[in-house]
Amino acid sequence: MEHHVKKSLDEWKEEICELLNEIDKEYEHIKQELQVYSYKFSITKQVVQSTVNEDIIRNIRELYHKPFEQKFNELKTEIKDLEEKKKVFQMFVDKIDKVNGSEETKSVVATI
């Protein structure tokens, strides 16, 4: 492979790896937030199930349960989207490595 092509591919890979690192950081942040809302949602659900008074149940659902459930579901969707992004950008890296690796193998074989 010509030097300028390899250099360009390496630069592109570096750029994609930076994007992957940013996605990983965002993923970890969302994952932590999801964990918090998972607990909040679960706790409010248990409290509602253990409460008899309908007025209190209605208040708990309005104040906590519904907003926590909504946020929890939003975060789950964000996690899935980030996982898909990670897969896609990782494919770029893998393909670039494959092209660079196959070209390096060809050049090594040609010199032997």
Side-chain angles (χ1 to χ4, degrees), residues 23 28 31 33 43 45 60 62 73 80-81 96 102:
I23 291 169
E28 287 304 314
K31 183 179 168 184
E33 201 173 347
I43 290 168
K45 186 176 183 177
I60 291 171
E62 288 177 24
N73 289 329
K80 287 179 185 176
D81 291 345
I96 292 169
S102 66

Side-chain angles (χ1 to χ4, degrees), residues 1-38:
M1 174 182 309
E2 294 182 31
H3 177 70
H4 69 281
V5 173
K6 182 171 179 11
K7 181 180 177 194
S8 178
L9 287 175
D10 288 342
E11 289 170 358
W12 189 30
K13 178 183 170 183
E14 193 173 304
E15 180 182 320
I16 291 170
C17 286
E18 288 175 17
L19 286 171
L20 274 170
N21 286 336
E22 290 301 315
I23 291 169
D24 283 339
K25 287 177 189 175
E26 186 177 357
Y27 180 87
E28 287 304 314
H29 173 74
I30 299 295
K31 183 179 168 184
Q32 289 173 358
E33 201 173 347
L34 180 62
Q35 186 179 26
V36 168
Y37 277 92
S38 173

Side-chain angles (χ1 to χ4, degrees), residues 51-70:
T51 304
V52 181
N53 185 317
E54 286 299 319
D55 289 335
I56 294 173
I57 291 173
R58 192 176 317 107
N59 284 339
I60 291 171
R61 282 191 174 138
E62 288 177 24
L63 290 172
Y64 301 111
H65 188 72
K66 288 179 183 178
F68 291 162
E69 180 180 25
Q70 182 180 0

Side-chain angles (χ1 to χ4, degrees), residues 1 6 9 94-110:
M1 174 182 309
K6 182 171 179 11
L9 287 175
D94 294 344
K95 297 292 182 185
I96 292 169
D97 286 345
K98 185 176 180 180
V99 168
N100 279 341
S102 66
E103 288 298 323
E104 287 173 10
T105 303
K106 285 180 186 176
S107 66
V108 168
V109 170

